[in-house]
Amino acid sequence: MNYTLKYVPEREAKPREKGITMVMDKGLSVNEIENFLSVSGNHTDLVKLGWATSFVTPNLQDKLRVYREAGIPVYFGGTLFEAFIIRGQFEDYQRLLDRYGMEYAEVSDGSITIPHDIKCEFIRKLKGQVTVISEVGSKDDTVIIPPYKWIELMQAEIDAGSWKVIAEARESGNVGLFRGNGEVRSGLVEEILTKIPQESIIWEAPQKSQQVWFVKLLGANVNLGNIAPAEVIPLETVRLGLRGDTFNHFLKDFDIPVM
Amino acid sequence: MNYTLKYVPEREAKPREKGITMVMDKGLSVNEIENFLSVSGNHTDLVKLGWATSFVTPNLQDKLRVYREAGIPVYFGGTLFEAFIIRGQFEDYQRLLDRYGMEYAEVSDGSITIPHDIKCEFIRKLKGQVTVISEVGSKDDTVIIPPYKWIELMQAEIDAGSWKVIAEARESGNVGLFRGNGEVRSGLVEEILTKIPQESIIWEAPQKSQQVWFVKLLGANVNLGNIAPAEVIPLETVRLGLRGDTFNHFLKDFDIPVM
Amino acid sequence: MNYTLKYVPEREAKPREKGITMVMDKGLSVNEIENFLSVSGNHTDLVKLGWATSFVTPNLQDKLRVYREAGIPVYFGGTLFEAFIIRGQFEDYQRLLDRYGMEYAEVSDGSITIPHDIKCEFIRKLKGQVTVISEVGSKDDTVIIPPYKWIELMQAEIDAGSWKVIAEARESGNVGLFRGNGEVRSGLVEEILTKIPQESIIWEAPQKSQQVWFVKLLGANVNLGNIAPAEVIPLETVRLGLRGDTFNHFLKDFDIPVM
């Protein structure tokens, strides 16, 4: 921190198991990554190369190198996994992970339908090769999964070997966890948390109002994902109660009278 | 492509007559252009310096040089043409095109009203000097042009010498082709396509939902315009069926059962 | 300007007392600032490091240096002032301003409630140290301040020594001056202007429609704030009547018949 301010909530230090900020890179250039990391590297825990953008970015090896030199784990979006699966190319996907030296991989079923035991089987197969992050929730806004089912799916994927489970919201933040207008399905989140420990979940929350909602519910060290690169610094201030939206929220923890 | 994935629709190669991505630069710096091109250069066919932004950017010669060195045609937005016309400075505009070595120019009437035979006369005059792109549609959201009129205007401009006609939507995507809420006037598009070949049209489609709609209707190699620089990579994945929105759309062409 | 176009409204030259563009930097890297200034430096009068983002950006000294070398005054957002005040650290804040060589400071009460005479006392104390900009309006969208009260507060702050008063709108443009949907409270603005000279006010107007509204009401040289870095060039064209939105607005001043 550049200067001292009293009564600011404490943040976990890297490598973090909680308080994770997962950033979505949807096509940054090498220089743009360097610019981003020079400001936000210390506040960034994971980077996802969004869906199958890695297929069409010409500088993939360079991008991966820059993230690795900064010590930040990077992985391909789940839609790429699904694109290989639906084409019957799972082994090609495993070779791809090896060829690029990936240490993390996402297993998801947001665009395809896989029987859940088969999805868990993919998690078990991949966890020998990489750290697996799996995602629950559909990208289809007409699919509504009831809370007990979210819990069942998350628990089975953790049992199969997922390091964290991601709760789906897309880049736009209007499906899965959220209603079409971006509002949080708060009852769903609260019910999930009665059964699954919050350290095991990364909540996709691309919109500021969504980030604010989660920080107010779960504190500075909630795991949040699909954060745009330019929004990492703003999010960090939301976590610390240093933006209007959460300014007064943390003060009561320190018995500071709100003026 | 960085790796092999089966059953991905084929994209036209550069220089493209169809499958064009036209990007809007509304004030990038030289370094930002270099960053952009290092990632998206191969997926970008045309760059428009949005409306009259070229009037106030201090680095115009340098910007033009960087685009040219990358082999990407660049042109001034139509509003600049209109600004010269309404001031009675058409010959100044022609001199301006020469002075900056422009090879393309846009002729439009989005902010002014010109009798259509005069607009076509401008197209005829300019086509001896540059490749002309002309634009149909008003920037005024209260002006609704009926489909038969769009067809008549487009055909007359092609006959006058336009290389392509652009269907207006603005940077925001809420006029012309689209309703105020960004929804496509689908009947209008379908009626235009009964008379004008799709290769001759560039559809302005700045919003993702609009791009998805056109890719679903007209395939991977539809001509799309007013794409923000950071959205070229995402658009390329939409064209290839490698983003959630078009993931299943292309699979049926390859007889892949949707799981 | 890169070329000559007749009948363009005249802009004030730097250093400007009116026609100010105040930009919000919410976490740019040093290179991103350099890119931004290479294009928009001449159109930028003031830069605010948004709210308390300066607390978590690791490159603060470098950022300040780059802005200063470009001759552009920079100041910390008012929320940082408020964070120090509510913690009883006003003297720490004064030392902070000294340590970073700040020449401007913002005094606001958007997230906290301070009796207005105490706010004015802070203005008086700080004006011996820096040029003070003060802000009127709440970040809380449920707080509606009536027009006579805006006038009273602004006048008292100017009397206490504020160089300019800022009318609050946040980064999003949906509180204070604006309704929740971003629409201007036009009656409020017009009533304020019956009593406070427009040169003394910087209107926060992050959305394009808001900028257009103010330019149409108050002309090319209205003071506008919370402009995103990438929107400075577009705003400059709006000020000059060279974007669709204000294209015809200025022509009548020059007796050019709108075609």
Side-chain angles (χ1 to χ4, degrees), chain A residues 2-3 6 231 237 243, chain C residues 26 51 54 57 87 171:
Chain A
N2 293 305
Y3 40 81
K6 297 175 190 172
E231 297 300 326
T237 63
R243 189 171 191 179
Chain C
K26 56 180 200 170
W51 61 101
S54 59
T57 49
R87 288 164 174 81
E171 185 208 350

Side-chain angles (χ1 to χ4, degrees), chain A residues 90-129:
Chain A
F90 176 63
E91 280 150 32
D92 287 343
Y93 191 63
Q94 289 190 293
R95 277 189 286 270
L96 177 73
L97 296 177
D98 271 349
R99 179 147 62 93
Y100 284 96
M102 308 305 286
E103 296 173 37
Y104 287 74
E106 182 177 327
V107 170
S108 62
D109 55 350
S111 297
I112 62 179
T113 308
I114 323 181
H116 200 245
D117 55 337
I118 295 184
K119 185 181 178 193
C120 288
E121 191 54 36
F122 284 126
I123 293 170
R124 273 187 291 271
K125 281 183 186 163
L126 283 170
K127 81 170 177 181
Q129 187 180 359

Side-chain angles (χ1 to χ4, degrees), chain A residues 51-52 78-87 108-113 139 170, chain B residues 5 7 9 212 215-216 237-254 256-259:
Chain A
W51 62 100
T79 301
L80 184 64
F81 165 82
E82 298 177 44
F84 275 87
I85 293 306
I86 197 125
R87 288 163 174 82
S108 62
D109 55 350
S111 297
I112 62 179
T113 308
K139 292 192 194 301
R170 302 204 66 181
Chain B
L5 202 51
Y7 313 123
V212 167
V215 168
K216 284 184 173 170
T237 63
V238 166
R239 291 181 180 280
L240 298 179
L242 293 175
R243 189 172 190 178
D245 312 83
T246 56
F247 191 91
N248 289 314
H249 176 77
F250 289 102
L251 294 177
K252 63 183 179 308
D253 297 346
F254 298 107
I256 297 184
V258 176
M259 287 173 92

